Amino acid sequence: MASEFLWYIIPREGAYPWEPEGRRPVDLGYLQQLAGTVERLGYSGALLATDLYDVWPLGSALAASTGPGFKPLLAVHPGLIAPTLLAKMALTFDTLFGGRLRFNVVNGSTASLREFGLHVEHDERYALSAEYWSIVKRLTSGEVFDHHGRFYDLRNAGASLRELTPVQEPHIPLWFGGSSPAGIEMAAEHVDVYLTWAEPPHLLKEKLDRVRERAAAHGRTLRIGLRVHLIVRDTEDAAWAAADRLLDVTSEATYARQLGVKATEDGVGWQRQFRHGGRVPAHARDLEEHPNIWPGMSLFRPGPGTAVVGSTAQVVERLAEYQALGVDTFILSGNPLLEEAYRVAETVLPALRDHG
């Protein structure tokens, strides 16, 4: 199938938004402008990640100001909202906005979930997630049923949702990334699009082979998506100079915070992003581990820590390598989000579509 391209929207926006001086003022009007731009430029939607704002009011506001071409991918932690209530929220959203909702399943970390009163260790998080999303899938497909599981005991679930006719079939799509054996097993059995953060292609191939093997064991096939940051300029030297500037403007406090996150984070995917070991190089390119593949973003911000850095032709070539591994969905970003959405849409995407 043809590749699908999404952008990224969060309220921490700017040239280097992990530092206060690198952020620009952002209000609802700005975020709606960004969403409208994403739609006009031909992206199929955007990932709304867990950040300062809750994704439900933000997603509703952006869906209301855009058309059918903008499909929000909402990041949701299983277990923080009762599955029947989440299904009602999702079916309401889809009814009002024409079947545009997609879920990005986020399992979080043991430490972060304790803030919300959810005390589950690493593998237990995935067991909870598997049960939770199996329920949500049935509810958003219109079923009414009883469920007796490890975490949930539901009676006549879905009865109150009968008049909310599902818009999407067979259910609201689930997108999910997990790199541990427990995460891969959960993905293989339950999700529709397996998401991964960028890594050197040979490492990613090994992981995707395991994902496909486990999906086949469940009689399933999955679409493959890649979440990656881009630093793309007219020339390779200019792109690496932009990466060098990010090192220069980042504070020691931010570097220390990220090292602290690394020490407490139990997610395998996050550990795989921290391949530099926390070393802050004199030059960004000192961390280049495959042509144009740079894990330095994890020095600044949580989440996906790898960027593709290079000229337009080089970025297209690297993304085409991922396409060759079976990636058909890309969630892209660049800072600032608004300006880089234009740059990528006008340079990288046409060439990548032609390449595909």
Side-chain angles (χ1 to χ4, degrees):
M1 64 178 295
S3 290
E4 180 180 5
F5 302 97
L6 290 79
W7 197 244
Y8 185 64
I9 295 179
I10 57 172
R12 292 183 216 257
E13 159 69 319
Y16 47 103
W18 48 89
E19 301 292 347
E21 60 273 18
R23 296 179 201 152
R24 61 175 46 151
V26 170
D27 58 12
L28 177 59
Y30 182 91
L31 293 168
Q32 289 176 326
Q33 177 191 1
L34 178 54
T37 298
V38 166
E39 182 180 23
R40 286 193 301 275
L41 290 173
Y43 300 93
S44 64
L47 168 61
L48 277 55
T50 55
D51 192 65
L52 282 173
Y53 297 161
D54 183 80
V55 295
W56 285 101
L58 177 58
S60 298
L62 300 189
S65 68
T66 53
F70 182 84
K71 297 179 180 179
L73 176 62
L74 301 190
V76 176
H77 286 86
L80 301 188
I81 300 173
T84 307
L85 178 56
L86 184 82
K88 182 176 183 178
M89 295 163 66
L91 290 169
T92 301
F93 190 106
D94 251 13
T95 299
L96 295 177
F97 299 121
R100 290 191 267 157
L101 178 62
R102 299 183 281 195
F103 281 127
N104 176 33
V105 175
V106 181
N107 259 38
S109 68
T110 297
S112 65
L113 291 176
R114 287 175 182 151
E115 179 184 353
F116 299 92
L118 191 60
H119 298 270
V120 284
E121 299 300 323
H122 183 278
D123 285 4
E124 192 177 21
R125 292 204 309 271
Y126 289 102
L128 168 65
S129 188
E131 184 175 342
Y132 184 90
W133 291 109
S134 66
I135 294 169
V136 172
K137 284 164 64 176
R138 295 179 69 183
L139 289 168
T140 61
S141 70
E143 287 189 50
V144 177
F145 57 93
D146 291 342
H147 172 85
H148 309 285
R150 176 179 172 187
F151 299 96
Y152 295 98
D153 189 357
L154 308 179
R155 301 290 200 283
N156 210 26
S160 63
L161 309 179
R162 282 193 176 109
E163 294 185 41
L164 280 170
T165 303
V167 181
Q168 300 188 68
E169 296 180 353
H171 53 257
I172 291 173
L174 302 185
W175 300 34
F176 166 81
S179 297
S180 69
I184 289 173
E185 193 67 24
M186 185 269 175
E189 188 173 0
H190 294 285
V191 308
D192 304 294
V193 179
Y194 177 78
L195 289 176
T196 179
W197 293 337
E199 300 179 5
H202 70 281
L203 295 179
L204 188 58
K205 181 181 184 302
E206 293 174 1
K207 182 166 72 170
L208 295 183
D209 285 346
R210 292 198 303 273
V211 171
R212 292 188 178 102
E213 177 186 352
R214 292 312 307 151
H218 292 282
R220 306 180 73 236
T221 58
L222 305 177
R223 289 176 56 195
I224 304 296
L226 183 77
R227 169 74 183 98
V228 63
H229 193 82
L230 302 182
I231 303 177
V232 56
R233 298 293 185 268
D234 291 339
T235 67
E236 182 179 25
D237 287 345
W240 284 109
D244 282 334
R245 182 169 185 272
L246 297 182
L247 293 175
D248 293 340
V249 298
T250 298
S251 67
E252 293 299 325
T254 294
Y255 289 130
R257 182 184 69 239
Q258 286 302 100
L259 284 173
V261 170
K262 195 262 183 183
T264 60
E265 175 63 59
D266 61 350
V268 173
W270 169 247
Q271 297 292 341
R272 289 172 71 106
Q273 294 291 290
F274 225 76
R275 297 181 297 275
H276 45 68
R279 177 173 65 93
V280 179
H283 303 285
R285 200 159 193 177
D286 294 345
L287 296 183
E288 185 182 26
E289 53 184 356
H290 178 84
N292 311 108
I293 303 300
W294 187 59
M297 294 300 295
S298 59
L299 292 168
F300 315 137
R301 45 157 293 165
T306 298
V308 180
V309 183
S311 67
T312 298
Q314 289 170 323
V315 169
V316 170
E317 185 177 353
R318 296 291 81 76
L319 295 181
E321 282 189 75
Y322 291 122
Q323 281 183 320
L325 296 179
V327 173
D328 63 28
T329 303
F330 293 86
I331 303 176
L332 306 172
S333 63
N335 293 118
L337 292 168
L338 181 61
E339 289 88 333
E340 291 303 305
Y342 278 101
R343 186 198 302 270
V344 172
E346 293 169 353
T347 60
V348 173
L349 298 195
L352 192 59
R353 288 185 174 114
D354 289 343
H355 191 287

